[in-house]
Amino acid sequence: LDDQYSHSPLASKSNMAIHLIWGNDSASIEGSINKLIEEFVDPIWSTLNLSRHDGSDPNQATKALKELQTPPLGNGDRLVLIQKSPFCNGCSSEMANQFEKAIEIIPDQCHLVLSNTNKPDGRLKTTKTLQKLIKDGKANEISFLLPAPWDTEGQRKLVEKSANNLKIKIEPKAIDCLVDAIGSDSTRLL
């Protein structure tokens, strides 16, 4: 997993309110989301300040945007997660307008995590808005892509990156054995 969320829980708050996470490596995406939750949400207040929504349901996506406008209760921050986010891969113009309005008024200590398997569609207005926020340092984007089954070098890099993130020294022969055993299935590395 990328080291960009390796802060201690609740110790240092990011000024980024929106976190766009996408790709086909579900294990790394889940790990990245869990690190954000650990960093921002106080476990004691998690039932009130952490919500997970299925973006493939327009009602849940709308509910998530409304929750995002509510400051956190108690200690820590509020984190609203929209899995299968519709905002970067096609949504109605009404939903896009709701999104545009909601992200303009995100309270301090609130975070929106948009997660999807597909790469954001750069032609959409919502994606362009997110890209501008990323450029301005108000949002971040991270992608987790698995190497193709025939990409042995990519698989080697996946094993090396995982070992480095875990601060494990690994010999080249061990990398070859792991690549043969797991291929590009990152869940088998954990």
Side-chain angles (χ1 to χ4, degrees), residues 43-152:
I44 294 170
W45 292 92
S46 66
T47 55
L48 298 172
N49 291 331
L50 172 62
S51 58
R52 296 174 185 258
H53 298 277
D54 181 354
S56 62
D57 177 352
N59 293 328
Q60 284 194 38
T62 299
K63 181 180 178 185
L65 293 176
K66 288 178 183 174
E67 285 179 11
L68 181 64
Q69 298 173 37
T70 306
L73 298 169
N75 294 327
D77 292 2
R78 174 179 301 282
L79 189 141
V80 178
L81 168 63
I82 304 177
Q83 294 174 309
K84 300 177 192 165
S85 171
F87 301 113
C88 296
N89 297 98
C91 63
S92 68
S93 59
E94 178 185 335
M95 179 88 56
N97 289 336
Q98 289 176 12
F99 176 76
E100 298 277 334
K101 289 176 185 173
I103 63 170
E104 288 178 9
I105 56 172
I106 297 174
D108 289 343
Q109 295 184 295
C110 287
H111 303 270
L112 175 63
V113 178
L114 303 172
S115 173
N116 205 341
T117 55
N118 298 324
K119 181 178 181 176
D121 184 345
R123 301 171 294 181
L124 298 176
K125 180 181 177 188
T126 51
T127 302
K128 289 177 183 176
T129 299
L130 284 169
Q131 292 301 327
K132 183 177 181 333
L133 290 171
I134 291 166
K135 183 180 176 189
D136 293 343
K138 296 178 182 172
N140 65 1
E141 176 181 15
I142 186 168
S143 63
F144 295 101
L145 298 172
L146 292 172
W150 57 85
D151 182 6
T152 307

Side-chain angles (χ1 to χ4, degrees), residues 9-20:
L10 307 175
S12 68
K13 303 295 183 206
S14 168
N15 64 353
M16 294 193 198
I18 301 173
H19 310 269
L20 175 60

